[in-house]
Amino acid sequence: MFESLSERMESAFKILKGQGRITEINIAEMLKEVRRALVDADVNYKIAKQFTDEVKAKALGQDVIKSVSPSQMLVKIVNDELVNLMGGSKSDIQLNGNPSVILMAGLQGSGKTTFSGKLASYLKKKGKKTLLVAGDVYRPAAIAQLKTLGEQLEVEVYNEEENKNPVAIAQNAIKYAKTNAFNVVIIDTAGRLSVDEEMMDEITRLKAETNPNEILFVVDSMTGQDAVNTAKAFNDRLDFSGVVLTKLDGDTRGGAALSIMSIVNKPIKFVGTGEKMDALDVFYPERMAQRILGMGDIVSFVERAQEVIDEEEAQKLQKKLRKSQFDFEDFLGQLKQIKKMGNVKDLMAMIPGVGKAIKDIDLDDNAFKHTEAMILSMTPGERKNPELIDGKRKQRIANGSGTSVQQVNQLIQQLFQMRQMMKQMNMMQASGKMPKMPRGAGMPGLKR
Amino acid sequence: MGFFDIFKKNKAEASPSVEEKEKASDLAALDQGLEKTKTSFFGKISKALVGRSTVDADFLDDLEEALVAADVGVSTTVKIIKRLEDRAARDKYINTSELNRILREEIIALLDEQNTTQTTNFKYPSDGNPYVIMVVGVNGVGKTTTIGKLAYQIKNRGSSVILGAADTFRAAAVDQLIIWSERVDVPIVSRGMNADPASVAFDTIQSAKAKGMDVAIIDTAGRLHNKVGLMNELTKIKNVMKKVVPDAPHEVLLVLDASTGQNAIEQAKQFIAATDVNAIALTKLDGTAKGGVVISIADQFRIPVKYIGVGEKIEDLRPFDKVDFINSLFKD
Ligand SMILES: Nc1nc2c(ncn2[C@@H]2O[C@H](COP(=O)(O)OP(=O)(O)OP(=O)(O)O)[C@@H](O)[C@H]2O)c(=O)[nH]1
Ligand SMILES: Nc1nc2c(ncn2[C@@H]2O[C@H](COP(=O)(O)OP(=O)(O)O)[C@@H](O)[C@H]2O)c(=O)[nH]1
Ligand SMILES: [Mg+2]
Ligand SMILES: [Mg+2]
């Protein structure tokens, strides 16, 4: 159901083919698609409207460069504008206190406790002596949860089993941190709704009494239209210093990021990309823009893939991909790489909108076995030149690999689709700040 | 001017001055920090309809805005409006109250499930086999809390309940469910953290059967629906229960967080594929989020919303009421 914005705009633009300028008339239709895509990506509808109005103003002045279509041009303007908005105020985590106090705030289940653990782990690696404070005295086993994480990370957790007052606990924790020479104090808090006056008062008091160096608003990246209300309410009370966007390992478009940035104008300092304690990353506006627009979080996928893919291989492959020469030998090589990578499925899942070509794929382990068997049943010539594979050869390959002609057809189809995809990406890239060519992005063994 | 200008063709060409005015007021609204929606939607409708007797474009624009703002999503919003228009076209003279009624009817039609099992009077069979409820959903939506509240309700209605702590992954998840079991005062089967969740589920059903319990509720670890391995694990948990009770689980309850946007549709799709979800619980409706995305989900997958969560306390679970829900969509 998620088409990428460029696909949508292409179709919006079809009616207007042949026009080489961005005009009032052709832009209206395209911007409608942009707006729709943004709202489908959970950008708040008012912000989406404001955004497209700004894009319109920017776009109208521009002549379309010969080699790109107006829709490509507009995608680029939209993308740049998004990056611009989300990357506006970049800043690192502030650790200038003694100890530095970091306060978490957010709705129930947004990921505060998990992120507290992740941050403690991150700071510990940076050589900071870090204290975690169990300030959620309400949710069942919330303290036990933080203590478990603390044990796992070998980070001390401060808690008071009998004390039901988070403000007092936090104050005592800071005293404790001072006497014991901790550099950082991270205060986990209970989840709360912005309309819960009592709880909002509590966190306001927590702020007043602990004087934090950082207040991080932790928000689930799957949040919808309500993100603006909640972010605004928390910001009105706390004037928080940064945002943490969690659960980005999912396939949400994450439009809430844009909504929040526009409404509170605070930097997104970290993102959460998994349940494990090392699944924390800094925020990349370019990736987020691509993700919201349905271009896929290709870059972070590639980075993870890179860790295991042989550099030189990757370089060679990239060249081939550029020329759309990707053949079955490469396919086979990739299969081997993939086997090294382990959980391909999770990796693949990070690409929400790479394109229809690999959408709704069903990756089972046998898919690889069959794929490998089929390629191994091809002659070297066939592998290099898949165009050679006619009906007779297909039958032979199917027989040799214990598969069906239909499966062989599918595989060949996939290779061509991949080439096509690469071609498109090359084109996008040529048109400007589009996704960088992913190294090793063509994934074999995919089955619909 | 409508947000997506869906109905542009229905209107006389809007003059630029109107457009500009609208734009200015939109931005002013933003400046005021989204305070704009203070008047209720139905209030706005009434205002919009003063002196008019038919559905007009302004009205539809307001409607469009209200629905999109409640996370109903663009395509379902378009669908609702189309249906309303069709009705209005048939009967040209509709007044305000009729319009409100028709609007509700059209949304209810989308929400309506094919086979209705009413929640409040549902009697859990006590035939020696436990009625098994498996609870699934992404991380942090409120599965464990919903289980606590649900167990409390079922117990209050006179059936016996046992819980199964099959979230063996998230830190202290087992402790959390144990605390709920103590609060509700029902038995629980737990094998500690890192135990195989399918084994915990199996043991729970077996224990439920041995003890002659009426209902068994299985908690599962939150998981993002795009993680194929974790979704397969869920299928396995579901299937292993059949070894004890062949038609278990009788209910697979998907928990959705009302603050989730359009991603909930994908969540529903993937959890249905992995576990044949047949009921939905929509949590955190005590907040400012509307949860309008369940309209699309109910419509697309024909799965009824059975419960709503309205707080963190033990009694904060309600049966889903369509009319209340629809009214709340249009409230500020
Ligand atoms: N996949 C994924 N899950 C996450 C991420 N961050 C947190 N979670 C999970 O989301 C759920 C809720 O996280 P918590 O850290 O307990 O959230 P919280 O805000 O402390 O919740 P409350 O204290 O209950 O308000 C847990 O199941 C976490 O494992 C993330 O980045 N990715
Ligand atoms: N306000 C509110 N909070 C809820 C509701 N349901 C669950 N929660 C909270 O949401 C958080 C996550 O819930 P939990 O049951 O641990 O979610 P799980 O990870 O899906 O099992 C907890 O802090 C709960 O107290 C609800 O209906 N309203
Ligand atoms: Mg917590
Ligand atoms: Mg749970």
Side-chain angles (χ1 to χ4, degrees), chain B residues 151-222:
Chain B
Y152 175 73
Q153 281 198 0
I154 295 173
K155 190 185 170 208
N156 279 353
R157 283 181 10 223
S159 297
S160 55
V161 189
I162 188 167
L163 307 182
D167 178 356
T168 59
F169 178 74
R170 206 213 64 201
V174 173
D175 293 339
Q176 188 184 358
L177 194 69
I178 289 176
I179 294 175
W180 274 106
S181 78
E182 287 163 2
R183 275 189 190 173
V184 186
D185 192 19
V186 291
I188 180 169
V189 172
S190 70
R191 298 283 177 263
M193 295 305 297
N194 301 319
D196 170 35
S199 311
V200 179
F202 181 88
D203 289 357
T204 309
I205 311 305
Q206 215 165 33
S207 166
K209 194 170 171 168
K211 291 192 169 110
M213 298 302 238
D214 301 327
V215 182
I217 314 180
I218 309 294
D219 191 14
T220 62

Side-chain angles (χ1 to χ4, degrees), chain A residues 399-415:
Chain A
N399 291 343
S401 57
T403 57
S404 64
V405 171
Q406 200 190 351
Q407 276 171 297
V408 176
N409 273 332
Q410 252 175 13
L411 180 65
I412 296 171
Q413 196 63 27
Q414 268 174 17
L415 184 88

Side-chain angles (χ1 to χ4, degrees), chain B residues 52-115:
Chain B
R52 303 192 188 107
S53 55
T54 56
V55 180
D56 73 356
D58 282 341
F59 163 74
L60 293 173
D61 288 344
D62 275 354
L63 176 57
E64 186 184 304
E65 209 176 286
L67 291 172
V68 167
D71 284 317
V72 172
V74 178
S75 34
T76 303
T77 296
V78 171
K79 189 167 173 177
I80 291 169
I81 292 178
K82 285 256 159 66
R83 289 169 72 138
L84 198 64
E85 270 197 319
D86 289 349
R87 289 275 291 263
R90 260 178 272 143
D91 185 355
K92 289 247 186 282
Y93 302 96
I94 300 174
N95 65 33
T96 317
S97 65
E98 278 171 323
L99 200 55
N100 287 347
R101 180 179 52 77
I102 293 171
L103 175 61
R104 283 190 176 83
E105 279 172 13
E106 289 302 336
I107 301 179
I108 284 180
L110 298 180
L111 276 172
D112 237 344
E113 63 273 24
Q114 268 149 1
N115 36 5

